Amino acid sequence: MYGKDQWFRVRPILQESFLHTQFAGEHLADWQGFMEGAINTGEEAAEKV
Ligand SMILES: Cc1cc2nc3c(=O)[nH]c(=O)nc-3n(C[C@H](O)[C@H](O)[C@H](O)COP(=O)(O)OP(=O)(O)OC[C@H]3O[C@@H](n4cnc5c(N)ncnc54)[C@H](O)[C@@H]3O)c2cc1C
């Protein structure tokens, strides 16, 4: 769960890749908290790989 203002300040940082590692999960998605967000970010991470 994001705290106040973290949606705009923390989420963009968590979305960044690190070296060859891509991150995915509902916590990074516009559909935060839902399966849709988990799937969307998973697909995006797979495309980057
Ligand atoms: C009770 C409940 C009901 C829900 N109902 C709905 C619903 O009706 N519709 C909907 O769209 N969404 C629903 N959700 C939300 C949905 O379940 C989540 O948004 C989705 O599962 C998130 O997927 P994820 O892959 O981002 O994370 P997760 O499904 O949490 O997957 C993360 C995985 O990483 C693993 N993991 C953690 N740490 C490590 C580690 N160090 N090493 C290796 N593996 C690790 C965990 O074991 C887990 O398997 C519900 C959630 C809950 C809790």
Side-chain angles (χ1 to χ4, degrees), residues 25-27 33-36 38:
E26 57 82 19
H27 61 297
F34 294 94
M35 287 296 305
E36 188 74 17

Side-chain angles (χ1 to χ4, degrees), residues 2 4-5 7 9 11-15 19-22 25-30 32-35 38-40 45 48:
Y2 288 102
K4 190 171 180 242
D5 294 333
W7 177 257
R9 290 187 296 106
R11 187 179 74 138
I13 297 168
L14 296 176
Q15 288 173 318
L19 301 179
H20 297 294
T21 304
Q22 307 294 329
E26 57 82 19
H27 61 297
L28 304 179
D30 292 336
Q32 194 253 320
F34 294 94
M35 287 296 305
I39 292 167
N40 290 347
K48 287 177 189 166

